[in-house]
Amino acid sequence: MAGERINRRQTGARYEDLAAAFLESRGYRILERNYRDRLGEIDVIAEDGDYLVFVEVKYRKDTRNGYPEEAVSPKKQQKIRHTALWYLYRRGYREETPCRFDVVSITGEKIRVIRGAF
């Protein structure tokens, strides 16, 4: 069981690296990766133009069990929103800071960004 967790973390880290590089190639400026606090975790926090973007990265080998972005359930979205609010507060961002929630969906070798996913 412990070995499985390590492998999942390594796999997750590999695809988060891939997602961060992909976002940078699209003009995003990565501010933080794997932000964690008492409320949850955000895979990538970046700037895209005037927006502060909170990014969830999802990977699936293929689409037999659906698309990766489908795994970002309403419950997961709510947890990310709460974590993002805490991040904004802790980092001293103003209430007017324009924010967006994107999902990087990785299926096999195909990567796409869903801007404003939720």
Side-chain angles (χ1 to χ4, degrees):
M1 189 69 138
E4 183 178 319
R5 258 192 308 239
I6 290 170
N7 284 342
R8 274 191 166 169
R9 273 196 208 126
Q10 289 172 340
T11 299
R14 187 169 91 234
Y15 288 104
E16 286 169 10
D17 289 345
L18 192 62
F22 186 79
L23 290 169
E24 285 180 322
S25 77
R26 299 289 186 278
Y28 289 61
R29 188 170 76 87
I30 307 301
L31 301 177
E32 296 199 39
R33 301 214 11 225
N34 296 309
Y35 171 78
R36 295 181 199 286
D37 66 28
R38 61 189 177 90
L39 298 175
E41 176 201 347
I42 297 174
D43 295 329
V44 177
I45 300 172
E47 289 178 340
D48 181 31
D50 293 333
Y51 283 89
L52 183 63
V53 185
F54 300 94
V55 182
E56 178 70 6
V57 178
K58 288 296 180 187
Y59 165 78
R60 288 197 176 155
K61 181 174 52 174
D62 55 45
T63 58
R64 267 184 283 175
N65 295 315
Y67 291 93
E69 62 271 20
E70 294 172 345
V72 186
S73 67
K75 184 176 179 179
K76 177 71 172 172
Q77 292 173 24
Q78 189 64 25
K79 191 169 189 174
I80 293 168
R81 281 188 194 100
H82 283 132
T83 305
L85 281 172
W86 187 246
Y87 175 86
L88 291 167
Y89 171 75
R90 295 290 303 230
R91 296 296 192 269
Y93 282 92
R94 300 170 53 114
E95 279 186 41
E96 309 79 45
T97 302
C99 297
R100 192 175 73 222
F101 296 90
D102 292 359
V103 173
V104 172
S105 174
I106 304 172
T107 308
E109 299 297 315
K110 183 180 177 189
I111 304 173
R112 68 186 183 116
V113 179
I114 303 163
R115 294 168 48 106
F118 58 93

